[in-house]
Amino acid sequence: MARGGKKEAVVAIRLREARTVTGLSQRELGVRAGLDPSVASPRINQYEQGKHTPDTSTLAKLGEVLDVPVAYFFASDDDLAFLITTFHRLSSVRKRRIMGALNQSGR
């Protein structure tokens, strides 16, 4: 069970899910995100266990490697996490079309 509050638990779960989907090891993710190779695996493990929560800058680096935006890590609802990730990965043209449709529907 993750320590800390709900936010920390959500970050830990989302990080583990995103890393698992990519097939990266904890060490590989950490190194690609700029962590020292000697601490990369233990640090990611601590994040995934909820023992520590990465700061926003580190989350941004991890998100770049995992191709997810920082907001994904804080989405407590699975559907919202899916929408955030899906929207993030769309082309600019498709994003504008969706935003235009939402604006016309009154959001």
Side-chain angles (χ1 to χ4, degrees):
M1 181 85 179
R3 294 182 192 173
K6 185 176 179 180
K7 176 189 75 144
E8 289 81 4
V10 170
V11 171
I13 290 165
R14 294 286 173 228
L15 178 58
R16 186 178 323 107
E17 286 175 350
R19 182 186 60 78
T20 302
V21 166
T22 66
L24 294 174
S25 68
Q26 291 177 336
R27 182 180 190 284
E28 189 173 4
L29 171 59
V31 169
R32 287 188 185 187
L35 299 177
D36 184 291
S38 66
V39 299
S41 183
R43 177 96 52 97
I44 298 298
N45 184 270
Q46 289 179 346
Y47 293 158
E48 289 185 359
Q49 295 300 315
K51 293 178 183 174
H52 297 285
T53 301
D55 60 31
T56 306
S57 174
T58 302
L59 274 177
K61 291 175 187 172
L62 293 168
E64 284 180 36
V65 175
L66 298 169
D67 193 24
V68 296
V70 172
Y72 165 84
F73 295 110
F74 296 100
S76 58
D77 177 89
D78 290 339
D79 291 336
L80 179 58
F82 173 77
L83 287 171
I84 290 169
T85 304
T86 301
F87 188 80
H88 169 76
R89 293 177 179 162
L90 291 174
S91 69
S92 296
V93 170
R94 295 187 85 186
K95 287 178 184 177
R96 283 193 300 272
R97 285 183 189 154
I98 289 171
M99 293 306 294
L102 287 172
N103 282 331
Q104 289 178 352
S105 70
R107 283 200 205 190

